[in-house]
Amino acid sequence: MCGIVGYTGYRNCAEVLLNGLSKLEYRGYDSAGVALMDAETIHVVKAKGRLSELQAALKQENPPECSCGIGHTRWATHGVPSQINSHPHCAPQVSLVHNGIIENYAQLKEFLQQKGYSFESETDTEVLAKLVDYHYHGNPMEALSQSLAQVRGSYALGVLFRDFPGKLYAARRESPLIVGYGENENFIASDIPALLQYTKEYTVLDEGELAVITSDQVQIYNSFGEPVTKEHLIAQWDVAAAEKGGFEHFMLKEIHEQSSVVQATLGAYLHDGLPVLGEQGPDEEYLKRVKRIHIVGCGTAMHAGMIGQTAIHRMARIPVQVEIASEFRYNDPILSADDLVIVISQSGETLDTLAALKLAKSKGAKTLAIVNVLGSSIARAADWVMYTYAGPEIAVASTKAYSVQLTVMYLLALKLALLQGTLCDAEVRYLTQQLQRVPELQQLLLTDCDRIKYLASQFMNSSDLFFMGRGFDYALSLEGSLKLKEISYIHSEAYAAGELKHGTISLIEEGTPVVALATQDAVFEKTISNVKEVRSRGAHVIVLCKTGAVVPAEVADHVVKLPHLESIFMPLLTIVPLQLFAYYMSVLRGCDVDCPRNLAKSVTVE
């Protein structure tokens, strides 16, 4: 959610901020603004809408060229999208940008009103800016420390003090924030892509830390005000990886990158045909005795966990429970030292997932993070971590991150099966050979985009659409449905095919679109029987199945044949046409594919 960029150095600050904010557009936003500091004052320019509106406002107001400032893209929480509610927010001595939510802002606002402060916006951030101003008596660190001690909630902050030109202050609690290191220039940002044009060297602020940044120095303090030394990380991505590369949308580019990132992930965790867990992966002796596994995630990550659940059940015969992170953290889960809690997150910053991880650790369970971002909050908090190798995923709707999450879950399931003795070396080697076919077969599917685009054109005016399947296909149906509703705004639901007659079939009428997944050999005939049920009631049906499967002509209007692979790994192939179907539906309906309404890439508030 929201994006922060801060800069101090020798360049034209407005250009740096706008460029950085443009690289954070994928996070979702409805307004934007910058605060530019010179030796005399702080110039604030804000606009409702896209960055182009902010650029026009900057051109009209023509502030002086500055070399220090902060910028922000806002996704509305407190207060409607508007110029007044957009960031930065100001007080006489302070200008501030903020990601997160100040939960006790109402009480703080009442206190500040009693002290003579008035408010223009509906935001919690303006309250925070004026609270810092209230505590400011010439020492910025004291003002920030005293203010943040009164705050309940989450924040990532970029702050300018009028009395300290060229100096940038930053702080974080729960919401992510990084510091970037350059040559005679330094930065803050919500995410790495904002910095890649200028530097790959960065560090991650930990909970409760404050940073003081000038063009030639970065000093970081812990919550006790003590200076700390931080590890410098090097981003493995480059600018080209965060650009569209000739594709119309980031989402389409990322769909096409799946074969290469799956290959990279397999390469990281396979050795001589057997799975390895990496230097930071879980301890093998622990995995030999683990009794129960919980998989926790949100949205697409949770759907990847459902595939992982079934894979572990079938291959390692260990009980697994999948839970939505926001439910897990409030359901008082029963955990012990024999339980492994696996948390899945693309960004490594998902607030509910991070909170679930911390809860699991507090109850004595071991934790494993499956994340895409080196040094992210979840990666650093977990006992063990297995990184995916997706590179930057910019589109809000996750595609390639899902595929590599599945890949890691399969490899973990195979490793558990070896350690628990439910599969032998030869059986695991055969299955990893099947997995290694996936990148080539995914690439083959990507050569037939026109067929999926045609199908999308036949269904683009639908108001409702249903997905159905059994086993792995049911879990994948949930993800296919989510992708469609996320970016095309078509109401869509997914159902276990065997549950149709228990109520769902009442929704089927003449012309109702149904996408049926039938890739699992063991239940193929059962699934086709369920397809006949909806077809007989007038449904307009697309069936996805393996090459060689026989689908009677009267059962489906359209049949999409997929390359043959062991059924357990078919989700890695089936997901490709489902993602393309959602993508082309969105394009044909004229939707904003990469930045769908009301959604953000990284959900860092409740």
mmCIF file of all heavy atoms in Angstrom, residues 14 43 56 75 95 100 125-126 155 158 174 177 185 216 250 354 374 379 382 401 427 467 476 480 574 595 599:
data_model
loop_
_atom_site.group_PDB
_atom_site.id
_atom_site.type_symbol
_atom_site.label_atom_id
_atom_site.label_comp_id
_atom_site.label_asym_id
_atom_site.label_seq_id
_atom_site.Cartn_x
_atom_site.Cartn_y
_atom_site.Cartn_z
ATOM 1 N N ALA A 14 12.995 16.882 -7.241
ATOM 2 C CA ALA A 14 11.661 16.609 -7.792
ATOM 3 C C ALA A 14 11.720 15.484 -8.820
ATOM 4 O O ALA A 14 10.851 14.601 -8.848
ATOM 5 C CB ALA A 14 11.078 17.875 -8.414
ATOM 6 N N HIS A 43 8.620 23.404 0.174
ATOM 7 C CA HIS A 43 7.603 23.637 -0.840
ATOM 8 C C HIS A 43 6.809 22.341 -1.044
ATOM 9 O O HIS A 43 7.382 21.312 -1.396
ATOM 10 C CB HIS A 43 8.251 24.051 -2.164
ATOM 11 C CG HIS A 43 9.221 25.178 -2.019
ATOM 12 N ND1 HIS A 43 8.849 26.505 -2.123
ATOM 13 C CD2 HIS A 43 10.558 25.177 -1.758
ATOM 14 C CE1 HIS A 43 9.909 27.268 -1.941
ATOM 15 N NE2 HIS A 43 10.967 26.498 -1.722
ATOM 16 N N ALA A 56 1.816 17.839 -13.579
ATOM 17 C CA ALA A 56 1.197 19.061 -14.096
ATOM 18 C C ALA A 56 1.155 20.139 -13.017
ATOM 19 O O ALA A 56 1.394 21.333 -13.287
ATOM 20 C CB ALA A 56 -0.209 18.748 -14.603
ATOM 21 N N TRP A 75 -2.920 5.712 -0.898
ATOM 22 C CA TRP A 75 -4.092 4.858 -1.099
ATOM 23 C C TRP A 75 -5.017 5.124 0.077
ATOM 24 O O TRP A 75 -4.663 4.882 1.223
ATOM 25 C CB TRP A 75 -3.663 3.388 -1.151
ATOM 26 C CG TRP A 75 -4.711 2.423 -1.605
ATOM 27 C CD1 TRP A 75 -5.108 2.171 -2.872
ATOM 28 C CD2 TRP A 75 -5.461 1.528 -0.770
ATOM 29 N NE1 TRP A 75 -6.064 1.182 -2.893
ATOM 30 C CE2 TRP A 75 -6.304 0.762 -1.610
ATOM 31 C CE3 TRP A 75 -5.507 1.284 0.606
ATOM 32 C CZ2 TRP A 75 -7.174 -0.211 -1.129
ATOM 33 C CZ3 TRP A 75 -6.384 0.315 1.087
ATOM 34 C CH2 TRP A 75 -7.198 -0.412 0.212
ATOM 35 N N SER A 95 7.226 18.655 7.789
ATOM 36 C CA SER A 95 6.502 18.068 6.664
ATOM 37 C C SER A 95 6.749 16.571 6.702
ATOM 38 O O SER A 95 7.887 16.129 6.918
ATOM 39 C CB SER A 95 6.980 18.658 5.337
ATOM 40 O OG SER A 95 6.209 18.161 4.261
ATOM 41 N N GLY A 100 0.789 3.435 6.668
ATOM 42 C CA GLY A 100 0.329 2.750 7.868
ATOM 43 C C GLY A 100 -0.937 3.387 8.399
ATOM 44 O O GLY A 100 -1.593 4.193 7.725
ATOM 45 N N THR A 125 -2.645 11.015 9.311
ATOM 46 C CA THR A 125 -1.276 11.490 9.092
ATOM 47 C C THR A 125 -1.105 12.954 9.469
ATOM 48 O O THR A 125 -0.072 13.350 10.018
ATOM 49 C CB THR A 125 -0.870 11.257 7.622
ATOM 50 O OG1 THR A 125 -0.996 9.881 7.323
ATOM 51 C CG2 THR A 125 0.550 11.715 7.370
ATOM 52 N N GLU A 126 -2.098 13.778 9.187
ATOM 53 C CA GLU A 126 -1.997 15.181 9.581
ATOM 54 C C GLU A 126 -1.896 15.292 11.099
ATOM 55 O O GLU A 126 -1.161 16.146 11.624
ATOM 56 C CB GLU A 126 -3.192 15.984 9.071
ATOM 57 C CG GLU A 126 -3.050 17.473 9.364
ATOM 58 C CD GLU A 126 -4.272 18.293 8.974
ATOM 59 O OE1 GLU A 126 -5.290 17.693 8.552
ATOM 60 O OE2 GLU A 126 -4.212 19.536 9.098
ATOM 61 N N TYR A 155 3.515 2.451 11.109
ATOM 62 C CA TYR A 155 3.971 3.605 10.348
ATOM 63 C C TYR A 155 5.299 3.309 9.662
ATOM 64 O O TYR A 155 6.128 2.540 10.130
ATOM 65 C CB TYR A 155 4.133 4.842 11.242
ATOM 66 C CG TYR A 155 5.007 4.640 12.465
ATOM 67 C CD1 TYR A 155 6.401 4.630 12.364
ATOM 68 C CD2 TYR A 155 4.441 4.460 13.727
ATOM 69 C CE1 TYR A 155 7.192 4.444 13.475
ATOM 70 C CE2 TYR A 155 5.228 4.270 14.851
ATOM 71 C CZ TYR A 155 6.606 4.264 14.722
ATOM 72 O OH TYR A 155 7.396 4.070 15.830
ATOM 73 N N GLY A 158 8.689 9.395 6.431
ATOM 74 C CA GLY A 158 9.735 10.266 5.931
ATOM 75 C C GLY A 158 9.423 11.669 6.418
ATOM 76 O O GLY A 158 8.293 12.157 6.220
ATOM 77 N N GLU A 174 6.195 -1.765 11.759
ATOM 78 C CA GLU A 174 5.326 -2.669 11.002
ATOM 79 C C GLU A 174 5.295 -2.372 9.508
ATOM 80 O O GLU A 174 5.374 -3.281 8.695
ATOM 81 C CB GLU A 174 3.906 -2.712 11.585
ATOM 82 C CG GLU A 174 3.861 -3.309 12.988
ATOM 83 C CD GLU A 174 2.449 -3.468 13.512
ATOM 84 O OE1 GLU A 174 1.489 -3.051 12.840
ATOM 85 O OE2 GLU A 174 2.302 -4.033 14.624
ATOM 86 N N LEU A 177 10.207 -0.044 5.265
ATOM 87 C CA LEU A 177 10.950 1.121 4.814
ATOM 88 C C LEU A 177 12.422 0.729 4.688
ATOM 89 O O LEU A 177 12.970 0.064 5.571
ATOM 90 C CB LEU A 177 10.799 2.283 5.802
ATOM 91 C CG LEU A 177 11.198 3.665 5.293
ATOM 92 C CD1 LEU A 177 10.295 4.113 4.147
ATOM 93 C CD2 LEU A 177 11.147 4.684 6.432
ATOM 94 N N GLU A 185 24.876 10.914 -2.111
ATOM 95 C CA GLU A 185 23.410 10.985 -2.096
ATOM 96 C C GLU A 185 22.889 9.755 -1.374
ATOM 97 O O GLU A 185 23.493 8.678 -1.421
ATOM 98 C CB GLU A 185 22.842 11.049 -3.522
ATOM 99 C CG GLU A 185 23.233 9.869 -4.387
ATOM 100 C CD GLU A 185 22.724 9.981 -5.810
ATOM 101 O OE1 GLU A 185 21.904 10.874 -6.094
ATOM 102 O OE2 GLU A 185 23.126 9.154 -6.648
ATOM 103 N N ASP A 216 25.829 12.626 2.683
ATOM 104 C CA ASP A 216 27.071 11.872 2.840
ATOM 105 C C ASP A 216 27.093 10.959 4.057
ATOM 106 O O ASP A 216 28.122 10.359 4.371
ATOM 107 C CB ASP A 216 28.266 12.826 2.905
ATOM 108 C CG ASP A 216 28.143 13.856 4.020
ATOM 109 O OD1 ASP A 216 27.153 13.803 4.776
ATOM 110 O OD2 ASP A 216 29.033 14.714 4.122
ATOM 111 N N PHE A 250 2.836 -4.911 -17.235
ATOM 112 C CA PHE A 250 3.699 -5.700 -16.374
ATOM 113 C C PHE A 250 3.133 -7.109 -16.176
ATOM 114 O O PHE A 250 3.881 -8.083 -16.131
ATOM 115 C CB PHE A 250 3.865 -5.015 -15.010
ATOM 116 C CG PHE A 250 4.875 -3.915 -14.998
ATOM 117 C CD1 PHE A 250 4.487 -2.605 -14.820
ATOM 118 C CD2 PHE A 250 6.224 -4.191 -15.170
ATOM 119 C CE1 PHE A 250 5.421 -1.581 -14.803
ATOM 120 C CE2 PHE A 250 7.166 -3.178 -15.159
ATOM 121 C CZ PHE A 250 6.764 -1.868 -14.976
ATOM 122 N N LEU A 354 2.899 -11.442 8.781
ATOM 123 C CA LEU A 354 3.969 -11.178 9.740
ATOM 124 C C LEU A 354 3.465 -11.344 11.171
ATOM 125 O O LEU A 354 4.150 -11.926 12.021
ATOM 126 C CB LEU A 354 4.515 -9.766 9.519
ATOM 127 C CG LEU A 354 5.625 -9.295 10.467
ATOM 128 C CD1 LEU A 354 6.838 -10.199 10.390
ATOM 129 C CD2 LEU A 354 6.016 -7.845 10.146
ATOM 130 N N LEU A 374 14.670 -10.460 -0.403
ATOM 131 C CA LEU A 374 15.799 -10.612 0.501
ATOM 132 C C LEU A 374 15.739 -9.569 1.605
ATOM 133 O O LEU A 374 15.543 -8.383 1.354
ATOM 134 C CB LEU A 374 17.096 -10.452 -0.293
ATOM 135 C CG LEU A 374 18.404 -10.598 0.475
ATOM 136 C CD1 LEU A 374 18.616 -12.041 0.891
ATOM 137 C CD2 LEU A 374 19.574 -10.113 -0.378
ATOM 138 N N ALA A 379 11.166 -12.495 6.288
ATOM 139 C CA ALA A 379 12.386 -13.292 6.142
ATOM 140 C C ALA A 379 13.268 -13.182 7.376
ATOM 141 O O ALA A 379 13.863 -14.171 7.835
ATOM 142 C CB ALA A 379 13.151 -12.857 4.893
ATOM 143 N N ALA A 382 11.526 -15.013 10.692
ATOM 144 C CA ALA A 382 11.305 -16.460 10.723
ATOM 145 C C ALA A 382 12.544 -17.205 11.197
ATOM 146 O O ALA A 382 13.675 -16.726 11.084
ATOM 147 C CB ALA A 382 10.904 -16.946 9.336
ATOM 148 N N ALA A 401 5.060 -14.936 -9.069
ATOM 149 C CA ALA A 401 5.327 -15.240 -7.658
ATOM 150 C C ALA A 401 4.551 -16.472 -7.222
ATOM 151 O O ALA A 401 5.047 -17.294 -6.442
ATOM 152 C CB ALA A 401 4.979 -14.044 -6.779
ATOM 153 N N GLU A 427 11.992 -42.712 -6.344
ATOM 154 C CA GLU A 427 10.679 -42.100 -6.567
ATOM 155 C C GLU A 427 10.790 -40.581 -6.603
ATOM 156 O O GLU A 427 10.161 -39.920 -7.439
ATOM 157 C CB GLU A 427 9.709 -42.543 -5.458
ATOM 158 C CG GLU A 427 9.321 -44.015 -5.536
ATOM 159 C CD GLU A 427 8.574 -44.479 -4.298
ATOM 160 O OE1 GLU A 427 8.997 -44.133 -3.170
ATOM 161 O OE2 GLU A 427 7.564 -45.193 -4.458
ATOM 162 N N PHE A 467 -15.843 -21.082 -11.534
ATOM 163 C CA PHE A 467 -14.776 -22.048 -11.733
ATOM 164 C C PHE A 467 -15.085 -23.288 -10.901
ATOM 165 O O PHE A 467 -15.653 -23.173 -9.809
ATOM 166 C CB PHE A 467 -13.428 -21.484 -11.289
ATOM 167 C CG PHE A 467 -12.888 -20.387 -12.161
ATOM 168 C CD1 PHE A 467 -13.401 -19.097 -12.080
ATOM 169 C CD2 PHE A 467 -11.861 -20.629 -13.058
ATOM 170 C CE1 PHE A 467 -12.897 -18.076 -12.864
ATOM 171 C CE2 PHE A 467 -11.350 -19.619 -13.856
ATOM 172 C CZ PHE A 467 -11.875 -18.341 -13.766
ATOM 173 N N LEU A 476 -6.710 -24.694 -7.444
ATOM 174 C CA LEU A 476 -6.318 -23.820 -8.550
ATOM 175 C C LEU A 476 -7.497 -22.985 -9.039
ATOM 176 O O LEU A 476 -7.329 -21.845 -9.474
ATOM 177 C CB LEU A 476 -5.754 -24.662 -9.696
ATOM 178 C CG LEU A 476 -4.920 -23.901 -10.717
ATOM 179 C CD1 LEU A 476 -3.683 -23.302 -10.072
ATOM 180 C CD2 LEU A 476 -4.516 -24.814 -11.858
ATOM 181 N N GLY A 480 -7.655 -19.031 -9.976
ATOM 182 C CA GLY A 480 -8.156 -18.532 -11.256
ATOM 183 C C GLY A 480 -9.291 -17.543 -11.075
ATOM 184 O O GLY A 480 -9.365 -16.521 -11.760
ATOM 185 N N THR A 574 -1.552 -25.514 -15.587
ATOM 186 C CA THR A 574 -2.925 -25.035 -15.726
ATOM 187 C C THR A 574 -3.055 -23.558 -15.378
ATOM 188 O O THR A 574 -3.888 -22.841 -15.945
ATOM 189 C CB THR A 574 -3.876 -25.862 -14.840
ATOM 190 O OG1 THR A 574 -3.598 -27.250 -15.012
ATOM 191 C CG2 THR A 574 -5.327 -25.602 -15.196
ATOM 192 N N CYS A 595 -2.836 -1.983 -12.198
ATOM 193 C CA CYS A 595 -3.228 -1.288 -10.965
ATOM 194 C C CYS A 595 -4.745 -1.303 -10.815
ATOM 195 O O CYS A 595 -5.410 -0.272 -10.985
ATOM 196 C CB CYS A 595 -2.720 0.150 -10.963
ATOM 197 S SG CYS A 595 -0.931 0.292 -11.046
ATOM 198 N N LEU A 599 -7.134 -1.884 -4.951
ATOM 199 C CA LEU A 599 -6.185 -2.913 -4.537
ATOM 200 C C LEU A 599 -4.775 -2.347 -4.438
ATOM 201 O O LEU A 599 -4.421 -1.387 -5.117
ATOM 202 C CB LEU A 599 -6.188 -4.089 -5.512
ATOM 203 C CG LEU A 599 -7.488 -4.872 -5.624
ATOM 204 C CD1 LEU A 599 -7.334 -5.998 -6.634
ATOM 205 C CD2 LEU A 599 -7.915 -5.426 -4.267
#
